[in-house]
Each structure stands twice: as structure tokens, then as C-alpha cells.
Amino acid sequence: MEGIKFNQVGIAFKGSGSYVPDQILTNQKISQKVDTSDEWIKSRTGISERRIAGFGDNVSEMGYKAALTAIKMANWDIKTIDLIVLATSTPNDLFGSAPSIQAKLGANNAVAFDLTAACSGFLFALITASQFLKGGSFKRAIVIGADQLSSFVDWNDRRSCILFGDGAGALAIEATSEFDNLIGFDMRTDGQRGSFLNLPSKNNEDSIIENIDFLSGGFASIKMNGQEVYKFAVREVPIILEKLFIRNNYSSAEIDWLVLHQANQRILDSVGDRLKIPREKILSNLDKYGNTSAATIPLMMDEAIRNNRIKQNDIIATSGFGAGLSWGAALIKWG
Ligand code: ACO
């Protein structure tokens, strides 16, 4: 794609898609591995089960399947896609997994790249892609969130292994000169609090030949201070959303749906309470999937769109938050 200038002012949302692996890991099954119980996990997190990628699945395969269903809903000719942005922290190729999704789709005219911002990744990718569209460089984009945290969870750590699952979601967005359905957004990071949630590299000291040292590459497992992450989320997410509402002249009563990163039901409820958004407007599917990191927001949106809950012109307030620490929010009109 050569960055041709179109006269565009805004974004239209044209399609959604998602994919989760077949393997179901229930709370009851996790309790065979670590000292926990279905009752503890459900009451503290709202999670009942999660999907785990099997040997045939990886981020590019899951992302491809989610993207393809979004493209079908949008009814696009695949050759008209200009941009593919994949939000992931767990690429199956450290050099980037988006190009392999481009190849699987046959989207030969698109440029494809990865973006990493943990559980804020989808929102950051959506905002990034929308800037290319609003700037007039590209017309059609697929934004994907896909993660396979099961590969990096310490399956002996009961404080974290209960939370995560695998999956992918995608949205198809298009530049338009008539309106802007990405009403507003905000993005934040605070690296000083980054140690609350990490997936650090783990290098072994080795030498290539005598007197030439090197570090062999690899990764440790997820390290999390659950209580600090919890406090961060319930404090910062209402603040960023409230500021967004004020800046765009919306009141929380005008919000049809609150679509938060699906980390913990107690976080969802607490943010909803602080914003005075009633429970029936807070979308949640983490009982089935747990925290799928960059995938949660499009996975939730796709389910609600296909169930006819989110309808054309509905106003959606969305926020992603997590490692970095990073957080972001967007106000969207669906359609
Ligand atoms: N089963 C049974 N007991 C457990 C378990 C478990 N799975 N995990 C911890 N406990 C125990 C602890 O050992 C502790 O016992 P102790 O008091 O004897 O030491 C007790 O339960 C309470 O532990 P807390 O850590 O205080 O439990 P808390 O109520 O904070 O819940 C949780 C923990 C669910 C992790 C919560 O802190 C949370 O959800 N935090 C947010 C985490 C999160 O969302 N992370 C992802 C962010 S998004 C991203 O970017 C990846």
C-alpha cells in the first residue's frame, strides 16, 4: 500500500469476528493441578472456565480465523484491505505474526504489523489503525487482538494461573468522509508501576567462543501482583472514561454498553458502579473465557453483535488496561 491520500474524516465499524480454541479448562479441572476451588475462583473473579490453545493453534492461526469472520461480516473483497494490525504479547514469531495472517488471508495489498501493549493492546491497535485511516493514508483496516497466555502462565502459581485463557477477536474498520464513529479516545502508560505485571525475558549467560559472551533468548512466566493490578484498574479506568465522556459531551446515561477488558468481574462491577452505569449495560463473558489479554474486547464485542445486543448506532464505552502499566479508552458508535 503506497499511502495514497483519501479525503476522509472518520471511521466506520463494518464487521467483527472472533475465535476460541476447542479445549475447555474448567475451574474444577484446574483444582486438580493447584490448591484452589471452583467456588474460590468464581467468587473472586467471575471465571468458570477458559479455552486453551492445543497443538494446532497459535496466535496467527487464531487471529486469522477471527479476521476472516470479521471480513465476511464486512463483506469486503480481501484484496481491498490496506492495513492489518495485530495486537499480541504472545506472537508465534518474535519478528511478528501479522504478516503470516496477511498471507493466510491472501490480503496481498495490505501492510501488516504487530503491536504489543498487553491487555491494552487491542485498544491501542484500534486507535493506531484509525489514525492511518483518518489521516487519509489507508481506507480499510483489520484490527486483531490475539493472545496465547497459556504458554507463559506458571501453571503451579494459583494466584495467576486461574485468570488467563486463549483466544482472538477482530474488527473491520473503514475510513469515511461522512461521519466519525470513533467519537473519542485516550491512551496512557505508567512504566514506573510496570513491575506489578510482567512477562520478562529470561536469558542464560553463555559464550559463543572464548571471550565473546552472549545471552541466549527465552521468557520466564507471568509475574503478577494481583492486588496492585486490581487497585490500579478500579482507580484509573473510571477516571479515563469519565474524562472521555466529559471531553466529548456525553453523560454516562447516554452509554448503551460498557465493554471493558475482561480481567475480573469485580473490576467490571466496580468500574460500572463508579461511572453509575447499571449492571445490565456491562457486557461480560469472562465466565466462559477468562482473561484472553488483547483478545477480550473484540471477543466480547463480536459475541454481543452476533447476539443482537449491540445494534447499529449503539454507543459503546470501552477500556483496556493491564501490563505496562498501560490503559486506554474509546467512545464508539457501532456502525
Ligand atoms: N485459590 C485459592 N486461594 C487462593 C488462590 C486460588 N486460586 N489464589 C490466591 N489464594 C489465596 C491467597 O494465597 C491468599 O491466602 P493467604 O491470605 O492465606 O495468603 C488469599 O487467597 C487472598 O489472596 P489475594 O491475592 O488477596 O486475593 P484477591 O482477593 O486479591 O484475589 C486476584 C486475587 C483474583 C488475582 C485479584 O487480585 C485480581 O483479580 N487482581 C487483578 C489481576 C488481573 O486482572 N490481572 C490481569 C490484568 S490484565 C493484563 O494485562 C494481563
Side-chain angles (χ1 to χ4, degrees), residues 179-334:
F179 52 83
D180 190 3
N181 282 349
L182 179 59
I183 299 162
F185 67 83
D186 200 359
M187 299 157 81
R188 301 290 306 274
T189 53
D190 179 1
Q192 299 208 330
R193 288 187 277 171
S195 62
F196 294 160
L197 186 54
N198 296 110
L199 209 179
S201 61
K202 186 180 173 193
N203 307 110
N204 288 320
E205 293 181 0
D206 208 337
S207 56
I208 303 168
I209 54 169
E210 207 180 346
N211 294 329
I212 304 287
D213 297 336
F214 85 106
L215 295 167
S216 66
F219 289 89
S221 47
I222 295 170
K223 308 252 175 305
M224 186 182 74
N225 182 333
Q227 288 184 2
E228 289 296 343
V229 174
Y230 186 93
K231 281 191 271 179
F232 145 72
V234 299
R235 181 184 149 72
E236 300 292 0
V237 175
I239 292 174
I240 199 169
L241 279 167
E242 199 149 44
K243 282 186 181 162
L244 192 61
F245 296 168
I246 292 167
R247 241 188 0 255
N248 292 283
N249 294 319
Y250 272 79
S251 74
S252 56
E254 291 171 281
I255 305 303
D256 294 303
W257 303 108
L258 183 61
V259 182
L260 299 179
H261 166 54
Q262 307 278 300
N264 182 321
Q265 189 61 44
R266 290 189 297 150
I267 295 177
L268 270 56
D269 293 343
S270 165
V271 172
D273 289 350
R274 285 185 199 206
L275 293 171
K276 300 193 170 53
I277 293 179
R279 295 278 152 96
E280 61 272 17
K281 290 186 173 183
I282 305 173
L283 295 181
S284 171
N285 63 3
L286 54 62
D287 60 322
K288 291 183 290 188
Y289 305 126
N291 177 349
T292 55
S293 193
T296 61
I297 290 173
L299 187 59
M300 185 66 254
M301 284 182 67
D302 184 48
E303 183 180 301
I305 289 158
R306 285 172 199 276
N307 289 344
N308 251 333
R309 296 189 79 193
I310 294 180
K311 297 190 188 67
Q312 196 79 1
N313 293 330
D314 277 359
I315 302 295
I316 301 162
T318 178
S319 176
F321 50 89
L325 296 177
S326 61
W327 64 109
L331 203 51
I332 287 169
K333 186 190 273 192
W334 182 253

